[in-house]
Amino acid sequence: QVKLVESGGDSVQAGGSLRLSCSASGFTLGGNCMGWFRQAPEKEREWVWLAAIYADDDRTYYADSVKGRFTISQDNAKNTVYLLMNDLKPEDSGMYYCARRRGYCSGAGTQGLQRKNFGAWGQGTQVTVSS
C-alpha cells in the first residue's frame, strides 16, 4: 500500500527556516517524481506546486516563487524526501503536501506541475509564518 507521511510543519517567524519530511512506504523513490505542494489558508481549491525531484538522477525543479529559498532533496536509504525552506514569508503559510508521480517530472522545467500530474498524496503538515 502506497503511503506518504509528511512531518516537520510548525509556526515560525518571518525569515525563519523549516525542514519538512515526507516518509514514503509501499514503494521506493526510484523511478518516481516526488513533489511538494501548498494549500494556502482559505484557498482550499488552490494547489500551488513548489518543488519536485526525479529520484533516479536527483534532478530538481522549483516554482519561481520559491527558487533560491527552498531546497528539495531525497534520502534513498530512508525512502524520504525533504523540503528545506529558508527565509520564510507570511505568504508561505499553508498546508504542505508531498505527492508521488510515476516516472519523470515532465513539464516541471517549463510550465510547472499540477495536482492532476500526481497520483498519491500525504495527509499534509501545517506551516504558519508570522510577520
Side-chain angles (χ1 to χ4, degrees):
Q1 180 184 0
V2 172
K3 189 174 182 182
L4 299 169
V5 179
E6 302 94 335
S7 62
D10 205 344
S11 295
V12 297
Q13 296 280 338
S17 298
L18 282 175
R19 189 179 79 158
L20 306 183
S21 299
C22 171
S23 178
S25 60
F27 70 100
T28 56
L29 298 181
N32 292 285
C33 174
M34 301 300 296
W36 284 96
F37 286 76
R38 179 181 67 231
Q39 263 193 330
E42 301 179 358
K43 294 185 178 180
E44 285 76 16
R45 294 186 178 184
E46 184 178 309
W47 292 78
V48 178
W49 170 68
L50 302 171
I53 185 168
Y54 181 57
D56 283 4
D57 60 12
D58 272 345
R59 187 168 296 187
T60 58
Y61 307 87
Y62 298 94
D64 288 343
S65 62
V66 304
K67 204 170 291 184
R69 297 191 299 126
F70 290 11
T71 303
I72 189 171
S73 62
Q74 62 176 347
D75 185 332
N76 286 317
K78 295 182 179 180
N79 218 37
T80 299
V81 178
Y82 302 98
L83 186 67
L84 175 62
M85 306 185 294
N86 294 320
D87 189 24
L88 283 162
K89 307 175 187 299
E91 53 264 40
D92 293 320
S93 295
M95 189 69 80
Y96 281 67
Y97 295 89
C98 170
R100 180 192 84 162
R101 170 184 181 177
R102 294 179 183 270
Y104 300 103
C105 299
S106 302
T110 53
Q111 69 267 33
L113 298 176
Q114 301 177 44
R115 183 173 185 241
K116 65 181 181 181
N117 299 137
F118 292 79
W121 294 81
Q123 84 293 343
T125 186
Q126 181 69 41
V127 172
T128 304
V129 184
S130 57
S131 57

